[in-house]
Amino acid sequence: MNKPLKYAVFGAGSWATAIVKMLCENLDEIGWYMRSIYTKEHLLREQHNPNYLSSVEFHLEQLKLSNDINEMATWADILIFVIPSAFIHSELEKLTVDISKKTVVSAVKGIVPESGLLVGEHFNEKYKVPFENIAVIAGPCHAEEVALERLSYLTISCWDSKKAQQIADSLSSDYIKTKISDDVIGIEYGVMLKNIYAIAAGIAHGLGYGDNFQSILMSNAIREMKRYIKRVHKMKRNINNSAYLGDLLVTGYSTFSRNRMFGNMIGKGYTVKSAQMEMSMVAEGYYATKSAYLINQNNEKKAETPIIDAVYAILYENKNPKKVFKKLTDLLD
């Protein structure tokens, strides 16, 4: 009889905490790597993450906690990485064990800045993990609603449908509905791009644009996402599926969206640095904007991306948000 596969989550933010909670609905033991010794000790003492989703209480007998990334990578069969893209490279540099035969799951919403690669591509190129052993978790799903056990939806994408279904089953519950997909690259790009569009939605709100414009912005955003993903990875996909459009809408409209919050602050006149200092969580879309913009610029056949270009101009070229969005309104339909 085959032994049950061991799952480990790497990261201690809100989304990592939510994924551990989901796994606890189905598994007897879950590995959890966190960099902070304080967070680990607090969890052992108080049974909850001190910094994120502190209302979620864990049964400690289900958790195998560690501050040693190599110990956890050795112990587990399925490694779920939920470390922000801006920091994942420095954390992975601590790895000394071979993970090439493990199943790696990316719940990271962005591109690795140091390599310019999608997280899945990074694991394939740098750590020799075969593409059929790489999966991606997409929404639409906010960690805060998982904590409240509100009905939420996930898409698990992997070229190996059996692995995708296995991971999906380990995450599903009465309040988590799951489906699987084989569009690993497209969904990973979608997960990255929707954060940029959420920043745009936030900037628009901060500038005083209303619901009418927001609807036009989101309508244009999903078409822009379709053009962009088609350029970088052409295959048959329905961009209106929940992993693309649904995830875009929840990230663009929800009050839980840190990227929308970040954009809102920029629209209200905060500098990038002051907005980042004000927020307790990482806005992945800030880093994604630069990566997405440069990837498109370096593509022989560039996709038409007025929204990404506008956000890039504001965040990285210090352009005036009001003037940039005034021009953008003339490009949208």
Side-chain angles (χ1 to χ4, degrees), residues 84-89 110-117 122 287-288 290-291:
S85 59
F87 311 119
I88 193 167
H89 181 263
I111 277 180
V112 181
E114 290 82 358
S115 64
L117 299 170
H122 188 83
Y287 304 99
K290 185 176 183 180
S291 297

Side-chain angles (χ1 to χ4, degrees), residues 5 7 23 78 80 103-106 131-138 154-172 177-184 187:
L5 294 171
Y7 285 72
L23 293 171
I78 297 178
I80 304 178
T103 296
V104 170
V105 184
S106 171
F131 277 117
E132 59 269 21
N133 287 354
I134 293 171
V136 175
I137 297 176
L154 291 178
T155 299
I156 315 302
S157 183
C158 183
W159 288 347
D160 184 330
S161 60
K162 287 184 180 177
K163 284 191 177 76
Q165 192 60 59
Q166 189 176 58
I167 296 163
D169 291 344
S170 71
L171 293 164
S172 64
K177 305 294 184 188
T178 59
K179 60 184 287 188
I180 65 171
S181 166
D182 63 351
D183 185 17
V184 182
I187 284 178

Side-chain angles (χ1 to χ4, degrees), residues 13 36 38 74 175 212 270 302:
S36 168
Y38 162 74
T74 301
Y175 59 92
N212 292 338
Y270 282 72
K302 288 192 280 287

Side-chain angles (χ1 to χ4, degrees), residues 1 15 55 63 66 73 98 188 264 281 292 307 323:
M1 185 175 178
W15 190 219
S55 64
L63 302 180
S66 178
D98 180 12
E188 201 167 1
N264 187 48
M281 297 182 289
I307 303 172
K323 290 181 180 178

Side-chain angles (χ1 to χ4, degrees), residues 117-318:
L117 299 170
L118 292 170
V119 177
E121 293 172 334
H122 188 83
F123 275 106
N124 173 259
E125 186 170 307
K126 307 294 183 183
Y127 297 94
K128 309 306 177 190
V129 181
F131 277 117
E132 59 269 21
N133 287 354
I134 293 171
V136 175
I137 297 176
C141 188
H142 275 307
E144 292 81 2
E145 293 203 352
V146 173
L148 296 167
E149 298 190 0
R150 290 179 178 169
L151 183 61
S152 302
Y153 291 75
L154 291 178
T155 299
I156 315 302
S157 183
C158 183
W159 288 347
D160 184 330
S161 60
K162 287 184 180 177
K163 284 191 177 76
Q165 192 60 59
Q166 189 176 58
I167 296 163
D169 291 344
S170 71
L171 293 164
S172 64
S173 65
D174 290 344
Y175 59 92
I176 302 292
K177 305 294 184 188
T178 59
K179 60 184 287 188
I180 65 171
S181 166
D182 63 351
D183 185 17
V184 182
I185 295 175
I187 284 178
E188 201 167 1
Y189 269 109
V191 165
M192 175 188 74
L193 293 171
K194 53 105 176 185
N195 287 331
I196 304 171
Y197 301 132
I199 290 177
I203 293 172
H205 185 264
L207 288 170
Y209 288 91
D211 292 344
N212 292 338
F213 177 73
Q214 292 279 3
S215 67
I216 293 297
L217 183 66
M218 289 294 102
S219 173
N220 278 264
I222 192 62
R223 283 178 277 157
E224 183 172 304
M225 181 187 287
K226 182 178 181 179
R227 292 193 298 270
Y228 190 105
I229 297 176
K230 189 176 180 181
R231 280 281 188 270
V232 293
H233 184 60
K234 190 172 182 178
M235 69 171 280
K236 188 176 181 181
R237 63 174 61 86
N238 184 352
I239 204 73
N240 296 319
N241 282 347
S242 57
Y244 313 96
L245 178 58
D247 211 0
L248 168 66
L249 293 177
V250 76
T251 309
Y253 285 125
S254 176
T255 54
F256 289 130
S257 171
R258 68 192 73 173
N259 290 285
R260 180 186 167 91
M261 186 191 309
F262 176 74
N264 187 48
M265 293 166 78
I266 298 295
K268 286 183 180 296
Y270 282 72
T271 64
V272 168
K273 191 171 183 180
S274 61
Q276 288 173 325
M277 289 174 68
E278 189 90 7
M279 292 179 66
S280 60
M281 297 182 289
V282 175
E284 291 273 20
Y286 170 71
Y287 304 99
T289 299
K290 185 176 183 180
S291 297
Y293 178 83
L294 293 177
I295 287 169
N296 192 44
Q297 291 301 308
N298 292 328
N299 201 322
E300 275 186 38
K301 294 183 178 178
K302 288 192 280 287
E304 187 184 345
T305 56
I307 303 172
I308 293 173
D309 297 349
V311 176
Y312 180 84
I314 292 166
L315 299 184
Y316 288 94
E317 295 178 342
N318 252 349

